[in-house]
Amino acid sequence: MRIPFTFLDIHTRLLRHKYNITHLFYGEITMLFFLPYFKRKKHKTIITIHLDIEKRRCPKLFIWLLKFFDGIIVLSSRQQKYLETKYNIRSTFIPHGFSQPQFEECLPYDKRGYKLNESKINILTVGNNYRDFDTLKYVINRFKDNSNYQFHLVGVPREINIYFSEYKNVSLYSRLSNNEFYSLISVCDYGFLPLTFATANNTLLEYQYLDLPSILPNIHGVMDYAAPAPLNLFYSNRAELCEMISSLTKTVKNNLISDFAKAHFNWDIIYDAIEDYYRNIIKE
């Protein structure tokens, strides 16, 4: 897996002096972890950080490499504050962007061969990265005897699929097409994203662009992207979460959440912010 990234980074380093700016959009993954991008007067280098830097390989070395960049973009205000206070590294928070999903309605069947029952309160959890599966298990077990709720799981690890394989209140899905995936989001009542860490979360942006209210942990990376309450619902502990879920009702879409997403995270808006950032970096 590292070999293609190594060649990509070498290629980038050989060509970067032909341009005013080189921007490593996923630098903590693609960059060689032992070789800095040394500063040059006529050429600027920028890196965007996506992940939790404390949990990456060789975090101290990565922090050292960051100090050679002319600009650092982070995807949450928490990361910006963290780099400043702990490492005295200046960075700029520019949100991740997203585009309105385009799809044809095609509701998928789950692994048991059933389609979603719209009379139930349907709660959708998507993804793997930084997901709090202990909390997911806790919640589903609390509500497994309540036939009003149906939990839908997409893209979760194999062991989670195995764990819930016999639960009648859980619908598990094989790999979905874009049409099936977005159709499922559009007809569910709530998205549920139990997270331990967050920056730009594509699943949350997908939920919001399709006007799906979300049940979310009250953590900084989420707050940078989530429409405020009461459009989305926020919990601080499991007791709050279970009380919140027990009071849920069927939802009616009114486009308020999707309007929020378009106003804040449309790629046109993000591109303008990045271009302004480039101009300021070149002037420095």
Side-chain angles (χ1 to χ4, degrees), residues 22 66 79 123-124 196:
T22 295
L66 285 182
Q79 277 190 316
I123 302 173
L124 174 63
T196 59

PDB file of all heavy atoms in Angstrom, residues 22 66 79 123-124 196:
ATOM      1  N   THR A  22       2.464  23.932  -3.954  1.00  0.00           N
ATOM      2  CA  THR A  22       2.147  22.507  -3.934  1.00  0.00           C
ATOM      3  C   THR A  22       1.282  22.249  -2.704  1.00  0.00           C
ATOM      4  O   THR A  22       1.664  22.616  -1.589  1.00  0.00           O
ATOM      5  CB  THR A  22       3.418  21.647  -3.855  1.00  0.00           C
ATOM      6  OG1 THR A  22       4.184  21.827  -5.044  1.00  0.00           O
ATOM      7  CG2 THR A  22       3.074  20.171  -3.703  1.00  0.00           C
ATOM      8  N   LEU A  66       5.662  18.842  10.005  1.00  0.00           N
ATOM      9  CA  LEU A  66       4.682  19.921   9.796  1.00  0.00           C
ATOM     10  C   LEU A  66       5.343  21.300   9.847  1.00  0.00           C
ATOM     11  O   LEU A  66       4.912  22.218   9.147  1.00  0.00           O
ATOM     12  CB  LEU A  66       3.589  19.857  10.860  1.00  0.00           C
ATOM     13  CG  LEU A  66       2.535  18.764  10.736  1.00  0.00           C
ATOM     14  CD1 LEU A  66       1.512  18.901  11.861  1.00  0.00           C
ATOM     15  CD2 LEU A  66       1.827  18.825   9.380  1.00  0.00           C
ATOM     16  N   GLN A  79      -8.738  20.699  15.940  1.00  0.00           N
ATOM     17  CA  GLN A  79      -7.368  20.445  15.504  1.00  0.00           C
ATOM     18  C   GLN A  79      -6.560  21.731  15.456  1.00  0.00           C
ATOM     19  O   GLN A  79      -5.379  21.750  15.820  1.00  0.00           O
ATOM     20  CB  GLN A  79      -7.370  19.783  14.136  1.00  0.00           C
ATOM     21  CG  GLN A  79      -7.569  18.278  14.167  1.00  0.00           C
ATOM     22  CD  GLN A  79      -7.312  17.660  12.813  1.00  0.00           C
ATOM     23  OE1 GLN A  79      -7.751  18.172  11.799  1.00  0.00           O
ATOM     24  NE2 GLN A  79      -6.605  16.546  12.795  1.00  0.00           N
ATOM     25  N   ILE A 123     -33.433   4.133  11.819  1.00  0.00           N
ATOM     26  CA  ILE A 123     -32.216   4.822  12.246  1.00  0.00           C
ATOM     27  C   ILE A 123     -31.028   4.208  11.512  1.00  0.00           C
ATOM     28  O   ILE A 123     -30.823   2.996  11.566  1.00  0.00           O
ATOM     29  CB  ILE A 123     -32.026   4.713  13.767  1.00  0.00           C
ATOM     30  CG1 ILE A 123     -33.250   5.307  14.482  1.00  0.00           C
ATOM     31  CG2 ILE A 123     -30.751   5.420  14.201  1.00  0.00           C
ATOM     32  CD1 ILE A 123     -33.236   5.099  15.990  1.00  0.00           C
ATOM     33  N   LEU A 124     -30.244   5.051  10.843  1.00  0.00           N
ATOM     34  CA  LEU A 124     -29.182   4.592   9.956  1.00  0.00           C
ATOM     35  C   LEU A 124     -27.801   4.943  10.505  1.00  0.00           C
ATOM     36  O   LEU A 124     -27.519   6.101  10.805  1.00  0.00           O
ATOM     37  CB  LEU A 124     -29.361   5.228   8.574  1.00  0.00           C
ATOM     38  CG  LEU A 124     -28.273   4.978   7.525  1.00  0.00           C
ATOM     39  CD1 LEU A 124     -28.164   3.498   7.180  1.00  0.00           C
ATOM     40  CD2 LEU A 124     -28.545   5.808   6.271  1.00  0.00           C
ATOM     41  N   THR A 196     -15.903   8.656  18.157  1.00  0.00           N
ATOM     42  CA  THR A 196     -14.910   8.956  19.185  1.00  0.00           C
ATOM     43  C   THR A 196     -14.040  10.149  18.797  1.00  0.00           C
ATOM     44  O   THR A 196     -13.412  10.766  19.653  1.00  0.00           O
ATOM     45  CB  THR A 196     -14.006   7.742  19.425  1.00  0.00           C
ATOM     46  OG1 THR A 196     -13.355   7.391  18.188  1.00  0.00           O
ATOM     47  CG2 THR A 196     -14.825   6.540  19.902  1.00  0.00           C
TER      48      THR A 196
END
